[in-house]
Amino acid sequence: MTAKKKWTLIGLAAAAVLLVPWMAVLAMTLPGRATVDHWPLAWIGLDVLMAAGCATTALLGLRADPQARLTASATASTAVLDAWFDLTTAGTGAPLLQAVGCAVAEGALAGACVYLALGKRRCRARVSP
């Protein structure tokens, strides 16, 4: 392992530790309700990001480009994030049922992306002429 990689990993570990007290501060100080400006833009932007990830992963995967694993990983994370916010911001009754339906679809998308990201390497290494 290179020194650069080791220090990067140590930095990530430190960030994980530092986030614990920050989460406690947020839990004690954030209001239970909030009014949000640009709410539709936030949700549409998340879906645009997910669609772009799906398209990019498909394009790279069909070209047998090994970087499709990276876009698949990012798209899986985006889908899980979208599902989380669908469920945690939904009201009761019909809105919650709709959120559960969306979360199931996003979970399936995330699962497919994880399968692509972790699947056996089938791509040939590209060799420059």
Side-chain angles (χ1 to χ4, degrees), residues 17-89:
V17 170
L18 292 172
L19 280 167
V20 173
W22 175 243
M23 288 183 277
V25 168
L26 290 177
M28 293 183 293
T29 61
L30 283 176
R33 292 183 175 267
T35 301
V36 180
D37 293 330
H38 312 294
W39 186 249
L41 180 62
W43 281 104
I44 293 166
L46 192 54
D47 287 338
V48 166
L49 183 61
M50 197 162 40
C54 289
T56 304
T57 301
L59 180 65
L60 291 173
L62 290 171
R63 291 181 176 178
D65 188 325
Q67 292 197 34
R69 291 171 175 265
L70 298 174
T71 58
S73 296
T75 304
S77 297
T78 304
V80 169
L81 179 69
D82 197 337
W84 172 262
F85 281 104
D86 282 343
L87 293 172
T88 59
T89 62

